[in-house]
Amino acid sequence: MLLEYCPSIIILLDESERLVLSTSIFLSVIGTPNLDFIRNHSYEDIFKAYLSQETMQVFKHAIENSALSEETITFDAWIDFSKNGQPKFYSVELRSVGGGAKGIATGTLIVMLDLTDFMREKQRAEAANNAKSDFLATMSHEIRTPMNAILGMSTILDRLDLDPEHRKYISDIRKASNSLLSIINDILDFSKIEAGKMEIIKENYNLTAMLDNLRSMFSTMCTQKQLIMECNFNKNLPEKINGDENRLRQVLTNILSNALKYTQKGGITFSAWLDNENNLHFEVKDTGMGIRDYDIDKLFSPFEQLDIRKNRNIVGTGLGLAICYNLCRMMDGDIEVKSVYGEGSTFSVILPYTPADGTTDKKDNTNIAEFAAPDAKVLVVDDMEINLTVAELMLEVFEITPDLAGSGKEAIDLAKNKQYDLIFMDYMMPEMDGVEATRSIRELGGWNEAVPIVALSANAVKDTEQIFLSNRMDDILPKPIELTALNICLRKWLSPQIIKEEIL
């Protein structure tokens, strides 16, 4: 009865690798009416009509290894037993079976589970996930590209000698743009976490410097809102640690921003310490409106916003704390909240402390002096005229007058006739994208084989860095372009002899 009604393929081979027994389902899938037609035939004679040579070799090795080991050997294979051109996906398990008092191996048991439906669902899910990633990559580019123009232009205007009223207008534009960019980044970060593409990159960095930077930034914002900010950083905190500074900064910035947004009077207390069990604690306590008990469970769920009527004037996606929760878990830590409605909330982040190792510390990019490089020969390639204008104006800050190209083909023609010190190459362009243009410039030979080419990319979803670096690009400058990031990039790739002076 077991052999008759078992839904899985089970085959028993004797010591000579001949078939002795099988479940009825196997007879059915190969179209054999009776076991006697195949009994005592070698498995190779039976399987050769259905298995590819490669899969047959896998079977042979598995049967040989199972005879030498007491372990179950498992592998997967697509097999077309029905010969209708629609193979099925099987998980195959093989194990030697013994006989006699001494347990000497006398045969092989083969179990084949049909996982075709599961595998096809998995493939459909992967295809849907890839389609979502492609869509997000496109949306990332389409949204962040105009943001590059808005933020870039407002940055340049902010440096001009404007009267107070006009400076306030520019400040309002930048604040609104940064709020929009923050929303975009939240959506993209959550999508990367869902797709399993968010990475934790560990390196040495200065923890105390990062905390001081957050203290300075949020103290200023609290003062503007007439709130008090108190910081308690314990003396036992290590100066340098190993971890992902950007992700920890993202978590703490989000929690501090929420405390600032939801606190109208009183203040915020920001604390940090190292406990006796080598865990880092970061705590943000506010005197804001607090959270109802029944809402706390919803706090770390995506797209949840509490007290929507009361908070309708507060901008946000409801993703920030969900992202923080996932990032803390990815860093082997946790995030907790305690709150009394009407009195305030306390958010706590707990992360394992890893001392800085012997590798080079992450560079501190704060307070980098600007410089002038009027002799630098720089080419900027972008298919959008507004982005070329932004890049041109930003490079003027460094007294660099770049050449501009509106397409990959135009960039190649310019590179043929001029020896550039640095090329900024947009990634997504019609007809010829940045990767193709870079490949063609490298093929020109000579100086163009080594000229630094930096990708300009608004794509924040896909693993773009690997794509660029594997196609002979040297670096990435993300859009929207920031002056500090541009400064760092120019310093990194321009020859020291070209940098003439620093701007005081």
Side-chain angles (χ1 to χ4, degrees):
M1 287 180 66
L2 285 172
L3 293 175
E4 182 73 23
Y5 295 107
C6 181
S8 300
I9 294 174
I10 300 176
I11 298 169
L12 180 64
L13 307 180
D14 65 15
E15 65 274 12
S16 300
E17 299 178 355
R18 293 173 300 183
L19 187 143
V20 179
L21 287 173
S22 80
T23 49
S24 297
I25 188 69
F26 179 62
L27 303 179
S28 175
V29 296
I30 65 173
T32 298
N34 194 293
L35 179 62
D36 291 334
F37 283 93
I38 57 174
R39 195 195 304 270
N40 294 324
H41 288 252
S42 74
Y43 82 92
E44 287 189 62
D45 287 342
I46 298 170
F47 280 10
K48 67 183 179 182
Y50 312 103
L51 272 57
S52 66
Q53 289 184 351
E54 182 180 352
T55 306
M56 182 66 82
Q57 287 299 318
V58 173
F59 257 100
K60 283 184 179 179
H61 288 305
I63 290 173
E64 290 170 5
N65 291 333
S66 69
L68 302 173
S69 169
E70 294 184 357
E71 300 292 326
T72 299
I73 296 172
T74 304
F75 63 92
D76 299 326
W78 286 93
I79 303 173
D80 187 5
F81 280 126
S82 59
K83 289 187 174 182
N84 62 358
Q86 297 180 350
K88 293 191 172 184
F89 184 82
Y90 291 94
S91 175
V92 184
E93 295 183 358
L94 295 96
R95 187 180 180 91
S96 62
V97 290
K102 295 183 180 180
I104 300 171
T106 58
T108 304
L109 180 69
I110 303 173
V111 179
M112 303 176 70
L113 303 177
D114 183 355
L115 301 180
T116 308
D117 291 341
F118 168 79
M119 180 55 61
R120 286 182 176 150
E121 284 300 319
K122 180 173 179 285
Q123 289 174 337
R124 277 193 285 269
E126 288 175 349
N129 193 46
N130 289 334
K132 183 176 73 172
S133 294
D134 289 340
F135 173 77
L136 288 168
T138 303
M139 287 300 98
S140 169
H141 180 268
E142 294 301 323
I143 296 171
R144 292 168 74 92
T145 295
M147 290 303 300
N148 179 60
I150 296 168
L151 284 169
M153 286 294 190
S154 60
T155 298
I156 296 302
L157 289 172
D158 196 39
R159 298 173 65 89
L160 301 179
D161 185 17
L162 301 174
D163 60 58
E165 184 180 8
H166 290 158
R167 188 166 296 283
K168 183 183 182 303
Y169 295 157
I170 295 299
S171 176
D172 290 344
I173 290 172
R174 295 193 70 184
K175 286 178 183 177
S177 300
N178 282 318
S179 294
L180 179 57
L181 187 61
S182 177
I183 291 171
I184 295 165
N185 288 338
D186 276 354
I187 295 169
L188 294 173
D189 278 348
F190 188 75
S191 300
K192 282 194 282 188
I193 289 170
E194 273 199 322
K197 294 185 178 181
M198 179 70 78
E199 293 183 27
I200 299 299
I201 302 172
K202 296 184 178 181
E203 54 190 345
N204 295 341
Y205 68 93
N206 191 317
L207 174 64
T208 55
M210 185 197 75
L211 293 176
D212 284 337
N213 181 262
L214 289 173
R215 181 204 336 237
S216 175
M217 180 169 63
F218 281 94
S219 291
T220 302
M221 289 191 283
C222 282
T223 301
Q224 292 171 348
K225 201 173 176 181
Q226 297 182 334
L227 298 174
I228 298 170
M229 181 166 186
E230 182 182 346
C231 292
N232 300 318
F233 301 150
N234 197 289
K235 292 181 179 179
N236 72 348
L237 273 177
E239 179 183 8
K240 294 181 180 179
I241 68 171
N242 184 271
D244 193 323
E245 179 184 10
N246 290 333
R247 295 308 172 193
L248 176 56
R249 183 192 295 271
Q250 182 177 354
V251 170
L252 296 179
T253 299
N254 191 287
I255 296 171
L256 286 163
S257 296
N258 280 347
L260 185 66
K261 282 192 293 187
Y262 294 103
T263 302
Q264 305 305 323
K265 61 181 180 178
I268 298 168
T269 303
F270 182 24
S271 306
W273 68 92
L274 179 68
D275 68 18
N276 294 328
E277 297 179 353
N278 258 9
N279 290 313
L280 290 165
H281 292 254
F282 306 94
E283 184 180 272
V284 177
K285 186 176 183 180
D286 65 60
T287 57
M289 63 184 65
I291 305 162
R292 292 185 176 91
D293 290 341
Y294 58 78
D295 279 334
I296 287 180
D297 290 340
K298 296 189 260 179
L299 206 58
F300 299 111
S301 300
F303 302 106
E304 288 282 359
Q305 289 180 298
L306 312 183
D307 278 347
I308 294 176
R309 289 185 180 179
K310 277 189 176 183
N311 303 325
R312 62 184 180 275
N313 294 323
I314 296 177
V315 177
T317 58
L319 288 173
L321 288 175
I323 292 169
C324 289
Y325 174 82
N326 282 282
L327 289 177
C328 286
R329 290 302 179 93
M330 291 173 70
M331 293 187 286
D332 300 319
D334 202 358
I335 182 170
E336 300 172 350
V337 60
K338 295 178 181 178
S339 185
V340 177
Y341 190 67
E343 295 183 18
S345 305
T346 301
F347 283 81
S348 303
V349 172
I350 304 100
L351 297 176
Y353 163 54
T354 304
D357 55 31
T359 59
T360 305
D361 288 1
K362 182 178 179 180
K363 290 183 179 179
D364 183 4
N365 293 326
T366 58
N367 301 319
I368 294 178
E370 293 180 3
F371 61 88
D375 297 330
K377 300 180 184 65
V378 175
L379 172 63
V380 181
V381 188
D382 199 303
D383 63 305
M384 293 188 68
E385 186 176 349
I386 185 67
N387 285 337
L388 290 175
T389 302
V390 169
E392 184 178 25
L393 292 171
M394 284 191 159
L395 287 169
E396 281 183 9
V397 172
F398 305 93
E399 299 183 16
I400 296 172
T401 304
D403 289 343
L404 307 176
S407 68
K409 290 181 179 179
E410 189 178 344
I412 296 167
D413 291 337
L414 289 169
K416 286 178 183 177
N417 301 309
K418 189 170 181 178
Q419 182 173 311
Y420 288 103
D421 300 304
L422 178 61
I423 298 176
F424 289 105
M425 180 71 70
D426 185 35
Y427 172 41
M428 286 191 176
M429 296 186 292
E431 296 183 15
M432 178 183 287
D433 66 25
V435 169
E436 294 173 300
T438 296
R439 193 179 299 122
S440 297
I441 289 173
R442 296 297 188 207
E443 290 172 357
L444 294 175
W447 174 259
N448 287 302
E449 289 185 359
V451 59
I453 300 180
V454 176
L456 299 175
S457 176
N459 184 344
V461 177
K462 286 193 171 181
D463 304 323
T464 49
E465 184 172 359
Q466 184 178 357
I467 295 172
F468 297 145
L469 298 183
S470 63
N471 283 280
R472 301 182 69 185
M473 287 181 166
D474 299 289
D475 205 351
I476 303 169
L477 185 62
K479 295 178 182 176
I481 299 171
E482 297 179 352
L483 267 181
T484 302
L486 179 60
N487 185 328
I488 294 165
C489 185
L490 291 170
R491 280 185 175 278
K492 181 178 180 180
W493 295 109
L494 288 179
S495 169
Q497 290 75 26
I498 296 175
I499 298 175
K500 299 298 184 183
E501 59 180 298
E502 291 192 350
I503 301 173
L504 299 178

